[in-house]
Structure formats: structure tokens, C-alpha cells
Amino acid sequence: MMRITGAVAVSAALALSAVACGDGDSDSGNGNEVTIGFMGDLTGENSGLVIPPKQGAQLAIEQYNATNPKVKIKFKTYDSQGKPEQATTLAQGAIKNDKIAGLIGPAFSGESQSVAPILEEAKVPSVSPSATNITLGEKGWKYWHRVVADDAVQSEGAANFLVNSVKAKKLFTVSDNQDYGKGLADAIGKAAGAKGVQTQTDAVDDKATDYSSTVNKINQFKPDAVYFGGYYAVAGRLFKQLREAGYKGKMMSGDGSLATGLIEGAGQENAQGALLSCGCLIDAEGKTNPKAKKFADDYKAKFNSEVAIYSTEGFDAATAFIEAVKAGKTSPEDINSFLKTEDIQGVGKQIKFAENGELAAKDIFIYEVKDNKLPLLGNSNEAKVS
């Protein structure tokens, strides 16, 4: 995993450079080039979750362009800072001014809720590497896709892990009360409750820094595990305050916290043993498939950092568009029709979409904080707590 203060800072600079470089002529209507956008938080509080998929997508497109294809792909980034209102303005400009043929993203669920209707009306396809809110797949959108499992799948996988490996009898769920975080925390509580686990829940203000009220409720309940739904900036503060208040049980969060920024926020000692669930695959050693190892090596050579959260999914999302362009599909509607038929092995999972844009693959993976890293424990049905 990247060090948030080192490689991520460098990556953020690269992302900013890409944003600046993308301000020139982006007309993709000359027949020899199409423009594919990437949208997400590249400079905000949770950019550590978005820079890796942006870099994964960039790598895929650069490798494709290096083959000197008949039609090249221009990669243009849009820094939404994770804000839905900012994302909608950017999406409108991307469609009208830049004439994008497709969009990788938006990265987060809240901005996806706002942007997808705009893309739908314009008939521009999107593939998100990381937006996991359950309701996104229930809107009936025809141009929306994602290459990561939703929170219903994640909640079932995480609940199985909490019951079978952690042996939790009591679970306290906390959310940041936002689209993604609340949806995940609620789903985790429901899935665990269905397995006989006693649950309680609470929410914190993601703009606040003092979570003592929630921490007190947790310590009074005395759960075996706490699961936080939200992003690593808040998770780090919550986990730090839990440990400082004497909580000894397991702490767990989802894909929104799978970044070394969690360790920085909680403090390395407080973060040790924290568990993370994710539909994303971080496999630098290629344990799951040979493509994963080659991708990890290429990624490190390009960006001087290890593969991280959603970098694999960013590469796969870009690959979905690349395969369409290679097949001669260059208009947004033709690309969208092609996406419906794709069935190829990505560097992470099989790239195959259901009719509603959901990924067919349903694997959830578990990671655990060890020192300043977040190594893979394994599939949620097989992973064991160390």
C-alpha cells in the first residue's frame, strides 16, 4: 500500500498535473481519437481512495495508446473533490464541451447519484471503479455500470467474516450518515442481525472531530466488534478515540477506509489489527491470477508506488472502454451497447455486466492493518483473523 504522506502526495501532484493538462482541446469527433473521462476526488480529504483508480485507468489507456491503434483514447480528468454539486457541473461540461464518449466514475456513491441522471439523458456510458451504494443499481439506468460489488454483497461477505472468523456475538455499527456510509452500515447490521448477532447502531457527523457520545454508547454496549461505514478520514478519528477510551474489541470498516490514511488518522498503534472489507482486489503478488502480478509490476514502474485500493478496478474500468474502442465502437451509444456484451478476464475480476450494470462477480476480500500496511487476508468466506 502507498504511504499517504509520500507516494499519495506524489500521486496527488500527478493528478493535479493531469487535471491541468486536460484543459486543452478535447474534441473526440475527428475519427482518430475518442475522449474518456475520469471523475472523482483527486485533491480533497479522501483523495487517497481515488488517485489509485485514476492511475490504474491512466496506465491502461497509456498502454493501449502505445500500441499505435487506429483510434487513440484521450484521457481527461475531472476533480469533483467528492462533492455531488461540483460533480454535476463537471459532468455537464464534460458532455457539452469535451464531448466525452464515456466516463470512468464518478468514484463515490453520492456524486454518482447526482451525475448518473445527467449521463443517462445525454446517453453517455459510465463505469465506476468504486461507487458501491446498493440503490445505484436499482434506478433502471441503461448507461451506468460498475466493476465492483455493491454494498449488499459487501455486507453479506463482511457479516459472514464477522460471524465465522471474528466470532462476534455483539456488533455496533456506526456511519457518517452519508449515502455510502449509512447504506453500508445499515446493510452490515441487517446481515449480521439475520445471523443471530445482537446489534446496535449510531451515526457521527463527518464534519465533526469529537465522537465521544458514540464512543460512550459503544463502551456501554460492550460489542465484540465495531463496524464503521464511511471514509478513512472519519474512521481514523473514530478508531483513535475508541482505543483511547479503552475499547478492546475488533474494529472494522469497508472499502471507503481501505487506505493508509486510516493508519495515519488513528495512529499506527491504535490502528493495529483493524479489519477492512472490500469488493476490490489488491494483489501485488499475483495470488489470484497472473494478470494481477503484471499489472502490479507495471503500476509500480509507472507511479513508483504499490497497487492500492481500486487501482485494479480503475484499470479494469478503463479496459472495458478500451475493448469497445478496439472493436470499432467510438460513439457513446455504440460503446454502451458493446459494454452490455463484454465478458473478459480483467486484472481483478471477470468484466461482465448484468442488465442493470452490476458486475457479475461477487467476491469480497478482507484486509488487516499490520504495522503501516494493509495486507490481504483473503476472500471473506476463507479469511482468518490473525
Side-chain angles (χ1 to χ4, degrees):
M1 291 294 295
M2 302 182 297
R3 292 187 180 180
I4 203 75
T5 56
V8 168
V10 173
S11 299
L14 288 170
L16 281 169
S17 174
V19 171
C21 292
D23 289 338
D25 179 21
S26 299
D27 184 8
S28 60
N30 58 17
N32 297 318
E33 182 179 77
V34 295
T35 300
I36 300 296
F38 179 97
M39 183 180 291
D41 180 0
L42 295 172
T43 58
E45 186 177 44
N46 293 297
S47 59
L49 299 172
V50 183
I51 290 170
K54 175 260 175 188
Q55 293 182 158
Q58 177 186 336
L59 178 62
I61 290 171
E62 287 184 359
Q63 289 181 342
Y64 164 73
N65 285 337
T67 67
N68 196 29
K70 181 179 178 181
V71 179
K72 289 194 173 185
I73 296 175
K74 186 164 189 173
F75 186 55
K76 184 171 177 66
T77 56
Y78 301 91
D79 181 11
S80 65
Q81 296 188 318
K83 300 174 182 177
E85 66 278 6
Q86 192 160 309
T88 55
T89 301
L90 288 170
Q92 290 162 351
I95 295 164
K96 182 178 179 181
N97 302 324
D98 302 328
K99 297 179 175 57
I100 59 170
L103 181 70
I104 300 167
F108 294 162
S109 296
E111 57 186 341
S112 294
Q113 297 275 14
S114 298
V115 167
I118 297 171
L119 297 174
E120 194 77 7
E121 183 177 356
K123 297 183 178 179
V124 173
S126 67
V127 180
S128 177
S130 52
T132 58
N133 186 275
I134 297 167
T135 63
L136 294 174
E138 300 172 347
K139 306 289 188 179
W141 293 322
K142 301 300 183 184
Y143 291 80
W144 172 90
H145 313 77
R146 58 180 160 200
V147 288
V148 65
D150 71 14
D151 291 333
V153 177
Q154 183 175 184
S155 63
E156 186 64 26
N160 284 338
F161 174 74
L162 285 164
V163 170
N164 298 328
S165 183
V166 177
K167 309 296 183 184
K169 303 296 184 184
K170 297 173 70 175
L171 173 69
F172 198 105
T173 63
V174 183
S175 84
D176 60 2
N177 221 22
Q178 301 301 308
D179 282 345
Y180 157 69
K182 187 176 189 307
L184 179 58
D186 289 350
I188 291 284
K190 183 177 180 180
K195 299 177 187 299
V197 177
Q198 186 180 349
T199 65
Q200 280 191 19
T201 188
D202 198 20
V204 297
D205 182 351
D206 64 337
K207 302 295 189 297
T209 56
D210 181 3
Y211 306 142
S212 56
S213 174
T214 297
V215 168
N216 289 337
K217 292 176 184 177
I218 291 170
N219 279 332
Q220 288 171 9
F221 184 56
K222 295 182 174 60
D224 301 302
V226 172
Y227 192 102
F228 172 73
Y231 297 109
Y232 64 81
V234 177
R237 294 195 289 269
L238 175 65
F239 288 0
K240 180 177 188 292
Q241 292 174 39
L242 275 171
R243 287 300 189 226
E244 289 177 346
Y247 176 70
K248 303 295 185 183
K250 287 292 184 182
M251 302 184 302
M252 189 171 182
S253 189
D255 50 305
S257 297
L258 185 54
T260 50
L262 170 71
I263 302 171
E264 184 178 78
Q268 186 167 320
E269 183 177 349
N270 294 324
Q272 292 309 296
L275 300 160
L276 293 308
S277 61
C278 189
C280 60
L281 178 64
I282 305 172
D283 184 13
E285 298 178 10
K287 294 179 180 178
T288 56
N289 72 85
K291 284 188 174 183
K293 179 68 166 67
K294 182 183 185 306
F295 166 66
D297 291 344
D298 290 348
Y299 186 94
K300 187 169 185 178
K302 171 68 179 177
F303 300 109
N304 195 31
S305 60
E306 302 291 342
V307 288
I309 184 169
Y310 298 132
S311 51
T312 298
E313 286 69 30
F315 190 95
D316 281 351
T319 298
F321 284 114
I322 290 167
E323 291 298 316
V325 175
K326 285 167 67 175
K329 313 300 182 183
T330 57
S331 73
E333 290 195 61
D334 283 350
I335 290 173
N336 191 64
S337 296
F338 185 88
L339 292 176
K340 303 298 182 186
T341 67
E342 274 191 312
D343 187 1
I344 60 172
Q345 177 61 49
V347 296
K349 310 172 202 71
Q350 196 75 10
I351 303 174
K352 182 179 181 180
F353 301 108
E355 183 61 30
N356 64 351
E358 294 282 14
L359 188 70
K362 302 296 183 183
D363 289 324
I364 297 298
F365 300 94
I366 305 296
Y367 302 83
E368 182 179 22
V369 175
K370 290 186 178 179
D371 298 323
N372 65 339
K373 296 184 178 181
L374 298 157
L376 173 68
L377 286 185
N379 187 289
S380 61
N381 294 321
E382 304 165 355
K384 302 296 181 184
V385 177
S386 62

